[in-house]
Each structure stands twice: as C-alpha cells, then as structure tokens.
C-alpha cells in the first residue's frame, strides 16, 4: 500500500508541477528571467531533482533485485563486470584495437625496429571534423555570399534600437530619468504647485517655507554655494550638497520628475522677499541670457576689428618709413 501511495504522490507532483511551469511560460513575458520570475526556475529545478531521485531509487532497487537473482542462480554478483557496457561504448567510439589484435594493423615498413600501427581515426574526432566543415560552409554562405551582418553592424543596430526604446520610455513615463543637457525650468502652475508641496514636505525644515533659509542657505537671493540655474539646482537636490556638511541626496527618495518640479519651484523663489532672510552664502550667480551672449559676441567682434585696425596702421607706418 505504501508503494502505491508513493507512486501516486510522485505522479501527482510531476503533473501539477509540469502544468504550473507550462502555465507560467505562457503567461509571463520573460518566464526564464531568474530575477523577474525565480519561482519558475525553482519549479523546474524541483521537478528535475524529484525525477532524478526517483530514477536513482529505481536503479538501486533494480540492482538489488538483479543481485538476488544472481545469488539464486549461484553466481557471485562481485564477479560480474558492471562497467562492461562503458568499455564497449569506448571501444565503438575510438575503434581501438586490443593489444593482442595489433598484428592486424601493423604496417609493413619499420625503422630501426620501430613499427607503425594503421589505427582508424576515432569516430568522435571524425564527426567533430565534419561538423567544422559544415560550420565553415554555413559561415561562408551567411557572411561572405549573402553579406550577413557582422558583429559591428549588429552592435550598432542594438544601440540604435535601445536609444529608440529609451526615448519612447521617456516620452511615455513621467518618472523617467531626465536628460540634463535638455533640462529646462518648468513654469506651468501645476508643476510649480507640485514642486511647492514637495518642498514644504521635505525642504522647508531647513530652508523655511518662504525659502528664506534656516539650517540651509537662503534660496531667494542670487548667491549659491553649488551654483544656480535649473541644472545646478536639480543636481544639488538629486546628488546632495557638500560632503559631510551639505544636505542629503534626494534621488533615492524623490522621483526625477518631482526633483525637476522642486528645482523649478526653487528657481521661482528668486527675487521674493522672505520674512527672515538669511545672509547670502556662496558666490554670486548670474545665468547668461541670450542678450548677454549677443553682447559678448559683439564685444569679441569689436576687439577683433580693433586688432586688425592696429595691425593695418602699423603696417602703413612701416611702409612710410
């Protein structure tokens, strides 16, 4: 009765586990990802382990039954060569001749009493050689006749596809990692309201609700310890302040979109008048505008013209002399 119960339990386990694995493979997008779906691999390993243990038990039981049968027939089981099948298999896969049969394959010539055996090539080696020939033909046709993609082209395609997927992800997800090169100040009311709410919850304890400063510096003046502007403020909030004495990094607590909104709200506090403004800290920061850039370019052009004019006058004076 115990034997039948064990067989029933084994069959039930195999059927249920197999069904669960098949169901998981068809349901999950990446069923064989050990990080996303570890239970799938756990079920597979458990199924294989149980099947192997069951077969091992069957082999041991069969071996004991064979030993008992041999003892009944008056044969000592220890005299039986249990590895004979392995020896036969090796003989077939190497085509090796026994020492006593080597006279059949001795070649006629000899040198200084040394004779050579005409052994056949081992089948396993011969089959591998044939496999390399087939591989070489397929490779030649695939890459040199049909002009298949090499590793460089495949890599470039994968990179291009990854960039497209990243852009699509950023466009569809509000919480995607932002591109610092194209980061701009948000000015819409909903973003600033969200930034203000997050600021009051996490930042007001050190900077005051009006940004006048407390433990942290004043955020309403033009002086900044780690630089002003949306990019510097975003980086300071995300990565934290100075080591050992600045504020903590918020990138693991706040989503990138919220950091962006908080940074935009902080920028909007510029020029306001807090109730108790803290003394300025850091260096004066003035973000270059388009007008400033045009003035710089005009001054550079004027300087160039002056240099050219001076060189022309010097050349004329030299010719006159």
């Amino acid at each position: 009765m115990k034997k039948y119960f064990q067989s029933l339990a084994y069959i039930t386990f195999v059927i249920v586990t197999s069904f669960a694995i098949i169901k998981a493979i068809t349901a999950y997008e990446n069923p064989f990802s050990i990080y996303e779906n570890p239970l799938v691999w756990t079920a597979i390993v458990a199924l294989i382990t149980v099947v192997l243990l069951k077969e091992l038990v069957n082999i041991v039981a069969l071996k004991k039954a064979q030993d008992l049968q041999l003892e009944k027939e008056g044969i000592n089981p220890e005299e039986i060569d249990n590895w004979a099948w392995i020896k036969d298999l090796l003989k077939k896969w190497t085509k090796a001749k026994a020492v006593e049969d080597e006279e059949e394959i001795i070649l006629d010539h000899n040198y200084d009493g040394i004779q050579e055996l005409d052994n056949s090539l081992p089948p396993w080696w011969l089959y591998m050689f044939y496999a390399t020939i087939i591989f070489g033909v397929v490779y030649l046709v695939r890459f040199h006749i049909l002009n298949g993609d090499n590793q460089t082209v495949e890599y470039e395609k994968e990179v291009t596809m990854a960039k497209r997927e990243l852009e699509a992800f950023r466009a569809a997800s509000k919480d995607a990692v932002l591109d610092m090169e194209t980061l701009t100040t948000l000015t819409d009311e909903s973003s600033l309201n969200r930034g203000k709410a997050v600021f009051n919850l996490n930042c007001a304890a050190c900077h005051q609700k009006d940004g006048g400063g407390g433990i942290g510096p004043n955020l309403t003046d033009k002086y900044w310890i780690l630089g002003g502007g949306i990019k510097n403020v975003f980086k300071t909030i995300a990565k934290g302040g100075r080591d050992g004495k600045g504020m903590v990094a918020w990138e693991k607590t706040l989503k990138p979109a919220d950091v962006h909104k908080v940074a935009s709200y902080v920028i909007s506090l510029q020029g306001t008048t807090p109730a108790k403004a803290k003394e300025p800290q850091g260096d004066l920061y003035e973000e270059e505008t388009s007008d400033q850039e045009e003035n710089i370019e005009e001054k550079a052009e004027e300087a160039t013209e002056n240099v050219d004019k001076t060189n022309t006058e010097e050349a004329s004076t030299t010719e006159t002399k």
Side-chain angles (χ1 to χ4, degrees):
M1 186 67 183
K2 183 179 179 181
K3 182 179 179 181
Y4 292 111
F5 177 77
Q6 291 176 348
S7 300
L8 181 61
Y10 169 74
I11 294 172
T12 304
F13 175 81
V14 170
I15 294 175
V16 172
T17 307
S18 301
F19 176 78
I21 293 173
I22 295 172
K23 193 71 175 177
I25 291 174
T26 56
Y28 295 138
E29 183 177 355
N30 298 313
F32 297 110
S33 173
I34 194 170
Y35 299 105
E36 295 181 11
N37 305 299
L39 292 178
V40 175
W41 279 105
T42 303
I44 293 174
V45 172
L47 179 61
I48 294 174
T49 303
V50 170
V51 172
L52 291 178
L53 289 176
K54 177 65 175 176
E55 292 301 319
L56 180 61
V57 171
N58 290 340
I59 292 172
V60 173
L62 182 61
K63 182 67 172 58
K64 289 182 178 181
Q66 289 176 348
D67 291 345
L68 291 175
Q69 184 64 30
L70 290 174
E71 288 179 359
K72 289 181 180 179
E73 296 175 358
I75 301 174
N76 186 2
E78 295 180 357
E79 296 176 358
I80 303 297
D81 188 1
N82 296 319
W83 303 100
W85 65 277
I86 296 180
K87 295 177 182 178
D88 292 339
L89 181 63
L90 291 175
K91 188 176 180 180
K92 290 179 181 178
W93 275 87
T94 58
K95 286 190 176 180
K97 287 284 186 178
V99 176
E100 56 270 13
D101 298 331
E102 286 184 351
E103 293 182 0
E104 300 176 5
I105 57 174
I106 292 179
L107 297 177
D108 294 336
H109 66 277
N110 65 73
Y111 179 79
D112 197 16
I114 299 175
Q115 292 178 296
E116 184 180 357
L117 299 178
D118 188 18
N119 280 311
S120 300
L121 289 173
W124 64 268
W125 187 93
L126 198 60
Y127 296 152
M128 288 181 64
F129 178 67
Y130 292 153
T132 58
I133 294 175
I134 295 172
F135 175 82
V137 172
V138 173
Y139 186 91
L140 177 67
V141 174
R142 175 73 174 83
F143 293 102
H144 294 278
I145 297 178
L146 300 179
N147 295 323
D149 295 340
N150 56 28
Q151 291 181 341
T152 303
V153 176
E154 289 178 353
Y155 170 76
E156 291 175 351
K157 285 184 176 180
E158 291 290 338
V159 171
T160 303
M161 187 179 298
K163 288 181 178 179
R164 290 177 182 175
E165 292 176 355
L166 182 59
E167 291 175 0
F169 173 75
R170 285 175 173 172
S173 177
K174 296 181 179 179
D175 298 326
V177 178
L178 303 176
D179 185 5
M180 292 297 296
E181 297 298 326
T182 59
L183 196 69
T184 57
T185 305
L186 301 174
T187 57
D188 58 286
E189 185 177 357
S190 61
S191 297
L192 293 178
N193 288 338
R194 173 63 180 176
K196 180 179 180 180
V198 177
F199 179 90
N200 290 338
L201 181 64
N202 300 284
C203 313
C206 295
H207 297 280
Q208 302 300 325
K209 287 187 176 183
D210 55 8
I215 299 175
N218 184 356
L219 302 177
T220 63
D221 55 36
K222 294 184 178 181
Y223 290 83
W224 297 87
I225 297 174
L226 297 175
I230 185 64
K231 295 180 181 179
N232 290 325
V233 175
F234 181 95
K235 183 179 178 181
T236 303
I237 296 172
K239 302 296 182 181
R242 297 164 293 174
D243 293 337
K245 53 184 177 181
M247 75 174 185
V248 299
W250 290 93
E251 61 182 352
K252 294 183 179 180
T253 306
L254 301 177
K255 297 177 180 179
D258 283 341
V259 175
H260 189 194
K261 293 172 183 177
V262 172
S264 299
Y265 174 71
V266 170
I267 296 297
S268 71
L269 294 176
Q270 292 285 286
T272 59
T273 54
K276 296 180 180 180
K278 191 176 180 180
E279 292 297 324
Q281 292 176 273
D283 301 322
L284 179 65
Y285 179 86
E286 292 184 1
E287 193 169 6
E288 291 184 356
T289 61
S290 58
D291 294 337
Q292 289 176 329
E293 292 175 355
E294 290 178 359
N295 293 334
I296 292 173
E297 290 178 358
E298 290 176 359
K299 291 180 180 179
E301 290 177 359
E302 290 177 2
T304 303
E305 291 176 357
N306 292 334
V307 171
D308 293 339
K309 185 176 180 181
T310 302
N311 292 337
T312 303
E313 292 175 353
E314 290 179 353
S316 298
T317 304
T318 304
E319 290 177 359
T320 302
K321 290 180 178 180

